[in-house]
């Protein structure tokens, strides 16, 4: 498979110009910022360190999954994905262009969220590695949602279970007495991300977050494989 | 190719014994045809006859079940993706545009994807008469103007073959005429055009040769003129003060016309050539809509 930097840059430029005029994408990007403001109102509880990772988790997951899903579903809805796939652009270039734009959005949203909630006092290298893996997972899942949904607005509905389970599950379920559900939440990358950040805040190192890191790596591999499988099958279909 | 003063046109599309099965349904049944370089070839048939399936196979969007297909000398299913798609242009009636981007930005994206200089945008916008609207957001354009934007995008890279699937459907006559004019100009510069349509008038006006596709089979293939002669009933309509009268091209008909002329009664005379639509109905027993 070929990869042209020229075509990749063209895709990024187009996606950026299009996205900053798309109210639905701006709403998706704005939601984590709003949540960061709300969580910032919460009084510090030294016993509940997981709350320190929530602004980053929400920024990565909502921006990564929903901005990506919206971009892809709209291409299908407006029949522009077909036009792209009938140009010399390969599916890797198209997907990379969208993912790069989603990453740009995510970085901006993370920066704003951290400016509001403050940067957790952790090893920055581990924080970056964990964040990149989580972003890759959510962008891959966002791509799958975008491909399954027939329209941009349907992508929000298709993605709702993901939002509830992957994002709000690790935030709220640990406080509820639901052991069966907690077993599922335990293996989710979002929960593993929160556990890893909590361990890092408590001066933990690689030995403490190794299991969480492995979980995220496995999720990255599986979600990327799923993404390419679905993309190959559904790219032309509405 | 010039050979001893004779123009020999090469086949740019070759299809032989093409079959396409969707589960158990035979969408294409052993179809064969060739399209010569520089030709406007019409692929005519009603909805569901297999036109779009054929275009998808020829443009590497769909794999075929059996037969042989060559476009620009190679099998589209096995061609190198970027190289092959860089030589063809595909326009369908539902080709989309980026509505939040300007006309110029829409075309600039595809210039970069095809590796074409941005100055080409002015040329294609002139061709589709949209230069005055190049900074307008596509979402603010009428349907006809959007279709012209997609045509401009399809011809940006000056493709060797243009595949047009119902290019003027749902357009008003003025915009249809404008697009047809652009297609004629492109064809005169050497672009081969493969046109699928159920609009017989469009086919008659544009196509050098046409094939009738019915239930996945080709029922006739020739020039529009040859088909009209082959399937016409060779009758003539004469108009006199008393009204219209159909006469056959035989001795009795000739005598009648001579008589009308001598009497000074003949007002008009027309040969009754069938339209392509009439011929399609005659051959297949069904209409084109």
């Amino acid at each position: 498979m070929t990869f042209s930097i020229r075509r990749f840059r063209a895709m990024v430029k187009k996606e950026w110009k299009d996205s900053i005029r798309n109210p639905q994408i701006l709403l998706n990007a704005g939601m984590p910022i709003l949540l960061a403001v709300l969580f910032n109102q919460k009084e510090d509880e030294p016993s509940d360190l997981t709350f320190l990772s929530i602004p980053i988790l929400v920024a990565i997951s909502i921006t990564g999954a929903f901005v990506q899903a919206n971009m892809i579903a709209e291409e299908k809805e407006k029949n522009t994905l077909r036009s792209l796939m009938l140009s010399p652009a390969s599916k890797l270039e198209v997907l990379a262009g969208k993912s790069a734009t989603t990453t740009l959005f995510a970085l901006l949203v993370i920066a704003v969220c951290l400016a509001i909630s403050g940067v957790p006092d952790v090893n920055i290298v581990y924080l970056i590695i964990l964040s990149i893996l989580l972003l890759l997972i959510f962008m891959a899942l966002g791509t799958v949602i975008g491909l399954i949904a027939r329209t941009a607005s349907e992508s929000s509905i298709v993605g709702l279970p993901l939002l509830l389970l992957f994002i709000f599950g690790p935030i709220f379920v640990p406080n509820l007495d639901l052991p069966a559900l907690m077993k599922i939440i335990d293996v989710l990358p979002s929960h593993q991300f929160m556990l890893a950040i909590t361990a890092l805040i408590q001066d933990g190192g690689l030995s403490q977050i190794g299991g969480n890191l492995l979980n995220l790596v496995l999720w990255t591999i599986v979600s990327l494989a799923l993404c390419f499988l679905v993309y190959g099958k559904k790219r032309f279909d509405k | 190719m010039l050979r001893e003063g004779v123009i020999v046109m090469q086949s740019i599309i070759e299809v032989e014994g093409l079959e396409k099965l969707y589960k158990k349904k035979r969408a294409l049944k052993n179809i064969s045809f060739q399209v010569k370089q520089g030709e406007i070839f019409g692929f005519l048939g009603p909805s569901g006859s297999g036109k779009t399936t054929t275009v998808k196979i020829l443009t590497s969007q769909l794999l075929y079940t059996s037969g042989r297909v060559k476009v620009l000398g190679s099998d589209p299913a096995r061609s190198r993706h970027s190289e092959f798609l860089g030589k063809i242009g595909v326009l369908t009636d539902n080709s989309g545009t980026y509505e939040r981007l300007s006309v110029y930005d829409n075309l600039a994206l595809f210039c970069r994807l095809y590796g074409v200089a941005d100055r080409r945008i002015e040329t294609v916008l002139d061709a589709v008469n949209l230069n005055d609207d190049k900074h307008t957001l596509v979402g603010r354009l009428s349907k006809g103007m959007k279709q012209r934007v997609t045509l401009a995008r399809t011809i940006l890279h000056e493709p060797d073959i243009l595949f047009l699937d119902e290019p003027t459907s749902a357009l008003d006559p003025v915009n249809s005429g404008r697009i047809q004019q652009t297609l004629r100009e492109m064809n005169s510069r050497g672009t081969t055009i493969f046109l699928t349509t159920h609009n017989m008038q469009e086919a008659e006006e544009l196509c050098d040769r046409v094939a009738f596709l019915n239930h996945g089979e080709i029922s006739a293939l020739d020039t529009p003129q040859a088909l009209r002669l082959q399937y016409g009933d060779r009758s003539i309509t004469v108009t006199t003060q008393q009204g219209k009268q159909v006469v056959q091209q035989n001795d009795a008909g000739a005598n009648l016309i001579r008589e009308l002329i001598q009497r000074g009664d003949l007002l008009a005379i027309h040969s009754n050539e069938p339209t392509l639509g009439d011929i399609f109905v005659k051959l297949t027993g069904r209409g084109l809509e």
Side-chain angles (χ1 to χ4, degrees):
Chain A
M1 188 184 284
T2 56
F3 191 89
S4 154
I5 295 294
R6 171 176 47 81
R7 291 197 285 261
F8 166 71
R9 284 176 55 193
M11 283 305 302
V12 175
K13 195 172 174 183
K14 183 280 281 183
E15 296 297 352
W16 183 256
K17 275 191 175 180
D18 197 36
S19 299
I20 55 170
R21 294 168 184 160
N22 184 338
Q24 207 171 342
I25 285 183
L26 294 179
L27 185 70
N28 283 329
M31 214 187 312
I33 297 169
L34 182 69
L35 285 170
V37 172
L38 291 175
F39 276 109
N40 203 37
Q41 306 301 312
K42 188 180 185 302
E43 284 181 21
D44 284 346
E45 285 179 41
S47 60
D48 193 3
L49 294 171
T50 53
F51 267 82
L52 292 171
S53 58
I54 289 174
I56 309 175
L57 168 68
V58 172
I60 290 175
S61 50
I62 292 186
T63 317
F66 288 92
V67 169
Q68 183 88 347
N70 188 290
M71 277 199 269
I72 292 172
E74 194 181 67
E75 292 265 19
K76 284 168 60 195
E77 183 182 354
K78 304 277 165 74
N79 287 313
T80 45
L81 192 57
R82 188 180 292 269
S83 307
L84 283 180
M85 298 320 299
L86 285 170
S87 80
S90 68
K91 62 178 170 182
L92 183 64
E93 289 156 0
V94 171
L95 204 52
K98 289 186 182 302
S99 303
T101 311
T102 303
T103 306
L104 276 174
F105 263 101
L107 289 176
L108 279 173
V109 174
I110 291 168
V112 176
C113 288
L114 289 180
I116 294 166
S117 61
V119 183
D121 185 18
V122 295
N123 182 318
I124 199 76
V125 176
Y126 288 139
L127 179 64
I128 290 172
I129 292 171
L130 290 166
S131 301
I132 288 172
L133 289 174
L134 194 67
L135 184 60
L136 282 173
I137 294 164
F138 276 102
M139 283 198 302
L141 295 175
T143 305
V144 174
I145 293 168
L147 290 168
I148 292 169
R150 285 168 302 177
T151 63
S153 34
E154 200 178 282
S155 70
S156 306
I157 298 162
V158 175
L160 198 63
L162 181 91
L163 178 82
L164 293 174
L165 190 69
F166 280 66
I167 306 169
F168 292 120
I171 298 173
F172 298 113
V173 174
N175 300 321
L176 307 170
D177 188 22
L178 296 167
L181 187 57
M182 196 57 220
K183 275 186 185 168
I184 298 170
I185 301 295
D186 247 342
V187 295
L188 297 181
S190 44
H191 188 234
Q192 294 293 322
F193 176 83
M194 286 174 75
L195 293 177
I197 299 291
T198 307
L200 289 174
I201 291 169
Q202 291 169 323
D203 289 330
L206 187 58
S207 55
Q208 279 74 38
I209 66 163
N212 313 122
L213 206 53
L214 182 66
N215 174 288
L216 286 168
V217 170
L218 290 175
W219 267 98
T220 307
I221 294 166
V222 171
S223 50
L224 286 176
L226 177 72
C227 163
F228 273 90
L229 186 76
V230 178
Y231 192 78
K233 284 194 171 178
K234 295 202 69 136
R235 63 192 158 139
F236 284 133
D237 300 332
K238 245 192 175 180
Chain B
M1 186 198 300
L2 280 173
R3 197 173 62 196
E4 294 175 352
V6 179
I7 296 172
V8 180
M9 292 167 85
Q10 291 179 317
S11 288
I12 202 163
I13 299 173
E14 292 172 52
V15 174
E16 206 178 298
L18 178 63
E19 293 260 348
K20 175 65 189 173
L21 285 174
Y22 287 113
K23 293 183 181 167
K24 284 182 182 171
K25 192 194 167 205
R26 280 173 85 199
L28 296 176
K29 301 166 188 167
N30 193 30
I31 66 167
S32 300
F33 62 89
Q34 294 189 341
V35 179
K36 307 278 182 206
Q37 195 167 8
E39 195 174 23
I40 301 184
F41 186 86
F43 212 54
L44 317 179
S47 301
S49 59
K51 302 189 301 286
T52 302
T53 298
T54 308
V55 170
K56 283 187 172 180
I57 289 170
L58 296 178
T59 55
S60 80
Q61 297 178 65
L62 194 64
L63 295 174
Y64 52 93
T65 309
S66 63
R68 198 176 68 91
V69 178
K70 272 196 170 186
V71 178
L72 292 161
S74 59
D75 185 341
R78 293 177 183 84
S79 300
R80 284 189 61 201
H81 176 83
S82 299
E83 205 176 298
F84 177 72
L85 293 176
K87 290 178 187 171
I88 65 168
V90 186
L91 173 72
T92 65
D93 62 339
N94 61 1
S95 294
T97 44
Y98 296 103
E99 306 222 330
R100 283 182 291 270
L101 300 185
S102 67
V103 171
Y104 188 92
D105 283 341
N106 265 274
L107 298 179
L109 165 67
F110 283 85
C111 273
R112 276 148 214 158
L113 295 182
Y114 283 106
V116 174
D118 281 5
R119 62 176 177 274
R120 173 86 182 134
I121 294 172
E122 303 285 333
T123 313
V124 294
L125 284 178
D126 271 339
V128 297
N129 198 22
L130 274 178
N131 238 329
D132 292 342
D133 300 283
K134 67 180 172 186
H135 297 303
T136 307
L137 295 184
V138 169
R140 292 187 184 150
L141 300 178
S142 68
K143 187 167 185 182
M145 290 165 96
K146 282 181 194 169
Q147 185 73 335
R148 281 188 276 151
V149 175
T150 54
L151 178 63
R153 186 182 69 199
T154 312
I155 62 177
L156 259 181
H157 57 299
E158 298 183 88
D160 293 336
I161 312 175
L162 256 184
F163 291 92
L164 306 171
D165 193 2
E166 308 280 0
T168 58
S169 66
L171 289 188
D172 59 73
V174 175
N175 280 312
S176 293
R178 199 166 267 165
I179 284 184
Q180 286 171 9
Q181 182 57 32
T182 306
L183 296 178
R184 274 191 210 97
E185 285 165 13
M186 287 198 62
N187 178 249
S188 68
R189 290 197 297 272
T191 303
T192 306
I193 297 176
F194 187 92
L195 173 76
T196 74
T197 183
H198 63 259
N199 181 340
M200 287 295 121
Q201 197 185 341
E202 184 172 71
E204 296 214 43
E205 286 171 10
L206 281 175
C207 298
D208 298 313
R209 285 190 307 144
V210 294
F212 287 154
L213 193 68
N214 184 38
H215 295 306
E217 288 175 292
I218 291 179
S219 46
L221 195 166
D222 214 325
T223 63
Q225 181 63 18
L227 288 171
R228 277 194 295 266
L229 290 174
Q230 188 180 347
Y231 294 100
D233 62 4
R234 299 181 60 79
S235 64
I236 290 169
T237 297
V238 290
T239 308
T240 63
Q241 301 281 8
Q242 285 74 42
K244 287 183 178 176
Q245 188 181 350
V246 176
V247 296
Q248 294 302 315
Q249 287 193 52
N250 52 24
D251 288 345
N255 289 336
L256 176 67
I257 292 169
R258 197 177 303 116
E259 206 177 295
L260 289 170
I261 293 170
Q262 282 167 355
R263 289 209 311 255
D265 280 350
L266 189 64
L267 297 178
I269 182 166
H270 297 285
S271 62
N272 289 336
E273 285 184 344
T275 64
L276 289 180
D278 297 334
I279 299 167
F280 191 89
V281 173
K282 193 171 184 176
L283 282 171
T284 65
R286 65 195 287 220
L288 275 155
E289 297 302 322

